[in-house]
Each structure stands twice: as C-alpha cells, then as structure tokens.
Amino acid sequence: MAINNSYEYINENSIHEDLLCSICTDPFEDPVSANQCGHVFCRKCITDTFCNTPRCPTCRHDLVLEDFHPVTLRPFLNQLNQLLVKCKSCSQINIQRGNFQDHMANCEKVILLCPAAHLKCDWKGQRHEMQDHVTICSLIKFQPAIDELNTVIKKQSEQIHCLYTILEKISSNHKKVCEESYMGTEVYCDVCTRKLAFGELKHRLHYCPQTDICSNCIKQHFP
Ligand SMILES: [Zn+2]
Ligand SMILES: [Zn+2]
Ligand SMILES: [Zn+2]
Ligand SMILES: [Zn+2]
Ligand SMILES: [Zn+2]
Ligand SMILES: [Zn+2]
C-alpha cells in the first residue's frame, strides 16, 4: 500500500484542451459522460459537484448522477493513457500515465505502509526497507491468527443475531399461547391457595410454567 502515489504532468500547457476536465482543469481521471449532453468530466469531479447542483456544469442540463457512464471511446482513453507524467516520489520522467500503477509497484522511492497497517502498525518506509521491517513486525506475524479470529467472530455474531431473531419469535408466540390458555380459568395460589386475581396472572406467566403463586407470596418468598 503506497501513500504518496502521485505524479505530475509533463508539459501540462501543451495538453490538448479536449483532454482537460472543466471542473479541475487537469486531464480527465476516470472520465464519465451523460448521453443527454455528452459533456465529459472526471468521475470524482462530477460526483463532488452534484452534491451541490444536480446539473451538467457546462450546459446546465438537468441530470442525475446515474446518467453518467464511463467513457469507453478507445482513442480518447488511449490519448489519456499516453500522457507523460513524472513520478513525484523518484522524479523519474516520461512515464506514460497508463503505466503509472506499474511504476508504483516497483518504484524504489515511494513510501509504503506496513502490510499490517490495518492492525495499527504505523511503520512507513521505502521498498528496500520493507524486507527488514517484515521480519521484525510482530503484527504481521499475528495477522493470519487475527484474520482467522475475525472470521470466527463475524460468523458467531451472525449466528447470535439469527438465534436472537428466532428466540424473539418463539417468545412472542409462547406468550400468546400462554395468555390464551388462561382466559376464563380459575387459578389458585400453590402456596396459600388464595384465588388469583386476573391482574396477578402475569406472575404466572412470569414464572411459567412451573407454579401459580400469588403476588403476596412472591413478595414474601422471592423478594
Ligand atoms: Zn476533473
Ligand atoms: Zn452538458
Ligand atoms: Zn517512482
Ligand atoms: Zn508492521
Ligand atoms: Zn408459558
Ligand atoms: Zn399466595
């Protein structure tokens, strides 16, 4: 994972205006356009602009973000890919923009993050330093175990969620059955044999299904 994966254009002034985005004024990155008007923008530029005004910034045509599709015109994309850039990390010049990701994969000067950066290792360094770090980074050693644990945890939380849903359903069904079976029945306290008032039946439901106990006895015996 690189953190300064950037380049600058060589002879930016000589780049044809058809290749420039009217929003950021740089050559298009990930160009998109809408069929309705055909104007082309960088995907990021038009997405940001649309947060404020859902219109084509060039012709004011009313559009939605979903109207924009990637430009697939080969000659146009080739022209963008052939633009020459300079690597800001190693200062190598005349790299075709389309090959910049390949350059990044080998650039000796680019600053890389530890492969265990997501486990909070904050090491950064150049490619030739990475080998040394990898041999001493304890977080990398734990990574397979942590990944495995995470998988187990994720699976278990799904199961727990599932069980919880089932339990809720069972308990609501059971409560209904229990309440219905009680309608019109005379119930006596198993401890003092007093007849339970209707309002006390909820105690039975609470302790269900073992015993019927009146509220006085519950207070007395189960404080
Ligand atoms: Zn742009
Ligand atoms: Zn337009
Ligand atoms: Zn480089
Ligand atoms: Zn590390
Ligand atoms: Zn019950
Ligand atoms: Zn009682």
Side-chain angles (χ1 to χ4, degrees):
M1 201 189 327
I3 51 172
N4 54 345
N5 57 338
S6 55
Y7 51 73
E8 56 195 46
Y9 292 95
I10 296 170
N11 300 328
E12 193 163 3
N13 294 334
S14 67
I15 296 173
H16 196 280
E17 61 175 337
D18 287 353
L19 300 180
L20 301 179
C21 166
S22 62
I23 301 174
C24 67
T25 70
D26 278 333
F28 295 111
E29 301 258 8
D30 196 3
V32 294
S33 80
N35 292 336
Q36 288 91 325
C37 72
H39 290 118
V40 182
F41 306 96
C42 311
R43 180 188 297 281
K44 185 179 181 306
C45 291
I46 196 66
T47 307
D48 292 350
T49 307
F50 257 56
C51 294
N52 300 320
T53 13
R55 288 210 193 115
C56 171
T58 306
C59 66
R60 320 299 293 163
H61 202 108
D62 283 322
L63 296 168
V64 292
L65 206 48
E66 288 69 35
D67 290 327
F68 285 90
H69 298 289
V71 178
T72 53
L73 202 64
R74 262 291 135 205
F76 176 75
L77 295 178
N78 288 344
Q79 272 183 294
L80 286 170
N81 284 335
Q82 285 161 11
L83 290 173
L84 296 178
V85 299
K86 170 183 164 184
C87 174
K88 279 190 184 175
S89 306
C90 70
S91 300
Q92 185 180 324
I93 56 165
N94 294 337
I95 305 165
Q96 289 197 354
R97 196 183 90 171
N99 295 334
F100 191 73
Q101 286 312 316
D102 292 342
H103 171 80
M104 284 294 294
N106 298 299
C107 177
E108 274 303 329
K109 288 285 158 62
V110 71
I111 302 298
L112 301 167
L113 296 178
C114 173
H118 64 294
L119 302 179
K120 309 273 187 263
C121 176
D122 52 12
W123 181 87
K124 300 171 183 133
Q126 293 178 349
R127 196 174 307 280
H128 68 275
E129 298 165 320
M130 174 72 90
Q131 204 47 51
D132 284 344
H133 173 70
V134 164
T135 55
I136 57 158
C137 176
S138 47
L139 287 169
I140 293 181
K141 286 187 205 114
F142 289 127
Q143 192 175 350
I146 292 173
D147 287 349
E148 199 173 308
L149 274 177
N150 278 336
T151 315
V152 172
I153 290 170
K154 190 162 172 269
K155 204 170 159 194
Q156 284 184 345
S157 10
E158 276 163 14
Q159 284 172 341
I160 288 171
H161 176 79
C162 198
L163 284 174
Y164 191 74
T165 314
I166 294 171
L167 201 63
E168 257 185 353
K169 203 170 156 58
I170 291 176
S171 116
S172 96
N173 283 345
H174 174 76
K175 194 162 176 283
K176 198 158 164 271
V177 170
C178 236
E179 277 167 3
E180 276 167 7
S181 76
Y182 245 94
M183 292 301 170
T185 321
E186 299 204 327
V187 184
Y188 299 87
C189 175
D190 291 335
V191 182
C192 69
T193 70
R194 186 170 71 79
K195 188 178 169 195
L196 270 70
F198 186 76
E200 288 176 302
L201 294 184
K202 64 177 187 296
H203 292 293
R204 150 100 181 204
L205 296 180
H206 197 261
Y207 289 94
C208 171
Q210 284 84 358
T211 41
D212 302 313
I213 306 174
C214 76
S215 43
N216 291 341
C217 293
I218 286 176
K219 269 185 215 142
Q220 216 175 319
H221 300 286
F222 307 96

